[in-house]
Amino acid sequence: MRLVLLLGGLALGCTAHVDRRYDELVSAAEVRANHETVRATCSRDGTLENCGLLATVVDSPRYQQWFADHYCVNLDDAACTERYSKLALAKLESRYHLADFTAVERRCSQRPDACDTLRAYELELLESHNDAASLELAETRVQLAEDRDAAKARRLGFVVRLLGRAVFRSRRARHHHPDEYSPAESADWETAPGSESGPVMSPSSRRARRAISGL
């Protein structure tokens, strides 16, 4: 019985460890997803990370003038515009790396008015990017839950096999050494041989009774 309790405690400890590890991994996945998520606006207290639109800066006349002064020296307007567009696209691709650019471009071609400015185009990319981050988190949770359940099943199965062996050894020991496990050995009363009813006092109990009566 002591071994059974020990192994039972071991099983609970193993599965509890798996649950704790699952919680840690899910928490880490949620932190990553939160870090990946982009907010269109920033909070006033500045606590939000990865927030604000690139278009607010990149598409502003002040930034465009700064870009022309630093990166378009000796370039005509067409070449400067191309260089500026490449830089803006590189920034968008870096920030919205989870977005499906092909799907966004398809939607924009179907609804040109929805992507008529860099800001509108960026909002489409932001939505696609955040949707992908949420989907990735959901899939990670499902996979981690499956891994957790499989690990618990393996560990529980291992302990069950150990318990099975322990019970088998205990039953085999009783079969080969019945006297060692006889409950009547320590009893004060036992059934007389050949008697169908009426327990009689064992010899040891009778001797004890006689000794007590002689006091």
Side-chain angles (χ1 to χ4, degrees):
M1 176 60 72
R2 190 175 302 170
L3 178 60
V4 171
L5 292 176
L6 177 63
L7 293 175
L10 176 63
L12 291 176
C14 289
T15 55
H17 171 75
V18 172
D19 286 333
R20 286 195 300 271
R21 183 58 179 159
Y22 166 78
D23 291 339
E24 291 172 358
L25 292 174
V26 168
S27 178
E30 290 173 345
V31 170
R32 287 195 303 271
N34 184 65
H35 179 72
E36 289 284 6
T37 301
V38 180
R39 285 86 175 176
T41 58
C42 297
S43 59
R44 291 183 178 180
D45 57 8
T47 56
L48 285 178
E49 297 181 359
N50 211 16
C51 61
L53 295 178
L54 294 174
T56 303
V57 176
V58 175
D59 205 26
S60 66
R62 181 177 180 181
Y63 179 85
Q64 292 173 354
Q65 184 61 52
W66 174 88
F67 183 88
D69 292 342
H70 288 80
Y71 294 98
C72 296
V73 178
N74 300 325
L75 293 180
D76 59 23
D77 289 347
C80 184
T81 299
E82 182 179 359
R83 177 171 289 186
Y84 166 77
S85 299
K86 287 181 178 179
L87 175 66
L89 180 59
K91 287 182 175 295
L92 291 172
E93 288 177 338
S94 176
R95 189 175 203 187
Y96 304 106
H97 59 94
L98 295 179
D100 187 340
F101 277 75
T102 302
V104 169
E105 289 164 4
R106 186 182 305 115
R107 288 201 302 271
C108 288
S109 64
Q110 295 171 350
R111 297 184 298 116
D113 58 323
C115 303
D116 56 351
T117 64
L118 182 62
R119 175 186 173 85
Y121 178 56
E122 183 178 2
L123 287 173
E124 292 287 335
L125 292 175
L126 182 148
E127 182 180 359
S128 176
H129 173 89
N130 289 347
D131 287 347
S134 298
L135 179 60
E136 186 175 280
L137 175 60
E139 292 175 344
T140 299
R141 281 174 172 162
V142 171
Q143 184 60 56
L144 288 174
E146 292 176 352
D147 293 344
R148 175 201 59 190
D149 294 342
K152 290 172 72 172
R154 286 195 304 271
R155 296 189 179 193
L156 188 59
F158 175 74
V159 174
V160 166
R161 289 193 296 274
L162 289 180
L163 285 171
R165 296 186 193 127
V167 172
F168 175 76
R169 285 195 298 269
S170 177
R171 294 180 62 185
R172 185 172 57 184
R174 287 191 181 94
H175 176 73
H176 291 296
H177 305 283
D179 293 340
E180 297 179 6
Y181 297 90
S182 175
E185 189 177 49
S186 60
D188 286 337
W189 296 84
E190 57 187 13
T191 303
S195 174
E196 296 180 356
S197 63
V200 299
M201 295 182 68
S202 65
S204 61
S205 296
R206 287 197 293 269
R207 286 194 297 271
R209 181 64 60 82
R210 285 197 297 270
I212 291 173
S213 61
L215 293 176

